[in-house]
Amino acid sequence: MALVKRVKKALGLGPKPVRRPDADGVTYRPLRPLKERLKGWRAVVTNERQRAIYDRVAQSVDPAGYAALQQKYREEIEQADELAVTKYVDLAPWFMIHSRIALLLDIDTRPPGSILDIGAGGGQFLAIAKAHGHKVLAFDKADPAVYADLIALFGIPRIEGGVKLGEPLPDELGRHDMVVVNGQVFDVFPGDRSRRWDVPEWASFIEYLCDTRLTYPGTLFIGLNMSAGPTGTEDFLWPLVDLAERHGAAVDRKRATMRFDLEKPLRFEEIEHRPWAELRRRPTRQAARKIAKPTP
Ligand SMILES: C[S@@+](CC[C@H](N)C(=O)[O-])C[C@H]1O[C@@H](n2cnc3c(N)ncnc32)[C@H](O)[C@@H]1O
């Protein structure tokens, strides 16, 4: 610890860890004993099937490895004036949140398959899938390190990289029976971080995922992010949810999640959009005019 920080801490002048509830009302306590947190959060899981999912992942955590991770991030957590990404160290609330998604995806009853999670974060969803016999793979950016450490705690393989508009994903990601994108924050335009993707960009991305990352029959799950991310967008992209529903997705309108069970790749022909690879380049004026032309 830097000397100044240490002195400030000793004098009680440093930033205090704020027990600030997250936007979803959760107060994270990443330094509390794992057992205590798991017990506390178990009590709020009322659905029996979800509770069985929660129990199974809870039992899969290595307590010594977890205690070492708490120790590693203790200072960062104590210093954080907002709990920031270290909130993911508090596993129990995330097991509750992700066991709900696992339920939506029948993770507990579907035959074992392979699952790719894009922007996997702390890996709590994949830990659940792994505990239920699925072969899992995480894809995420190199930073912050806490994500990689959590994924390692769960013994999950991870490939580093990020989604960038129009750029291919690494070949090594392969194809999977299920691709999950939950609470993502990559839908911002390079060079203009105040703009987020709209339906055409999502249509291009979803088609690209279908063409390159899924096997068939396959499942694609997208859970939108409302407010996290650089622009602090305050609502879900509802037109995308509507589009997904028109294309057969099971949607949950409370949380803007979309589950597509697919026999073949999706095509959004009614939406004016370009193939993913073409989004890397700015459209020529002529092409831009064509894209802007309303659908008859
Ligand atoms: C709000 S967290 C969600 C984490 C996880 N999916 C979950 O549901 O708990 C956003 C995640 O997106 C990742 N991320 C940020 N930019 C990304 C990018 N360009 N490509 C892929 N993932 C990205 C972050 O590292 C983080 O893991």
Side-chain angles (χ1 to χ4, degrees):
M1 194 194 307
L3 184 63
V4 177
K5 269 191 188 172
R6 217 177 308 162
V7 172
K8 274 188 171 176
K9 194 180 171 196
L11 295 173
L13 300 173
K16 296 208 167 42
V18 176
R19 299 290 171 234
R20 171 186 63 87
D22 205 59
D24 52 9
V26 177
T27 302
Y28 297 96
R29 295 192 165 88
L31 294 177
R32 298 298 305 162
L34 180 63
K35 259 194 187 168
E36 171 194 303
R37 296 297 284 158
L38 288 172
K39 189 171 165 219
W41 276 92
R42 186 178 192 275
V44 306
V45 183
T46 50
N47 177 301
E48 244 178 68
R49 207 176 129 200
Q50 188 186 343
R51 186 177 273 199
I53 294 174
Y54 178 95
D55 285 346
R56 189 180 289 206
V57 71
Q59 283 152 16
S60 77
V61 182
D62 162 24
Y66 180 72
L69 202 120
Q70 281 180 310
Q71 197 49 36
K72 178 173 175 182
Y73 286 97
R74 176 171 294 278
E75 191 182 317
E76 190 176 322
I77 292 166
E78 282 174 348
Q79 291 296 317
D81 48 1
E82 290 190 4
L83 287 179
V85 292
T86 46
K87 70 183 179 184
Y88 290 99
V89 175
D90 190 8
L91 298 182
W94 294 104
F95 285 161
M96 186 282 285
I97 290 165
H98 288 296
S99 57
R100 211 162 43 198
I101 294 177
L103 200 58
L104 287 178
L105 286 167
D106 298 314
I107 288 297
D108 54 336
T109 54
R110 67 169 58 222
S114 69
I115 303 180
L116 168 67
D117 190 343
I118 297 179
Q124 288 88 357
F125 170 75
L126 288 183
I128 292 172
K130 185 180 173 199
H132 287 82
H134 300 282
K135 188 172 173 228
V136 298
L137 177 61
F139 178 60
D140 208 336
K141 292 169 79 168
D143 288 326
V146 67
Y147 289 147
D149 282 336
L150 282 163
I151 295 259
L153 173 73
F154 299 131
I156 292 171
R158 180 179 192 265
I159 293 175
E160 285 183 357
V163 176
K164 283 201 195 122
L165 191 70
E167 291 197 6
L169 292 171
D171 286 344
E172 56 186 322
L173 289 184
R175 286 184 183 261
H176 300 267
D177 301 307
M178 183 187 293
V179 174
V180 171
V181 180
N182 187 58
Q184 54 62 45
V185 291
F186 50 68
D187 58 335
V188 287
F189 281 87
D192 182 1
R193 296 185 69 77
S194 64
R195 274 180 66 216
R196 294 187 84 139
W197 296 0
D198 208 331
V199 170
E201 289 79 21
W202 273 104
S204 303
F205 183 57
I206 292 172
E207 287 184 357
Y208 171 75
L209 286 181
C210 286
D211 289 346
T212 62
R213 299 293 151 226
L214 266 182
T215 51
Y216 296 89
T219 300
L220 173 65
F221 178 85
I222 299 176
L224 292 180
N225 202 339
M226 180 160 57
S227 55
T231 62
T233 301
E234 281 169 9
D235 203 1
F236 294 119
L237 184 58
W238 291 115
L240 179 64
V241 181
D242 296 338
L243 177 71
E245 196 166 37
R246 286 199 300 276
H247 282 260
V251 307
D252 173 354
R253 289 196 170 265
K254 205 164 158 205
R255 300 191 175 85
T257 61
M258 298 154 255
R259 168 184 165 162
F260 296 94
D261 287 308
L262 301 168
E263 294 297 327
K264 59 184 173 66
L266 280 162
R267 287 290 175 264
F268 299 107
E269 274 154 16
E270 74 277 37
I271 301 294
E272 290 275 359
H273 65 294
R274 291 183 292 155
W276 178 250
E278 285 182 21
L279 297 184
R280 233 181 315 179
R281 298 184 292 273
R282 286 187 176 281
T284 60
R285 279 191 190 180
Q286 196 186 4
R289 268 200 299 276
K290 197 170 159 224
I291 290 164
K293 210 171 95 183
T295 319

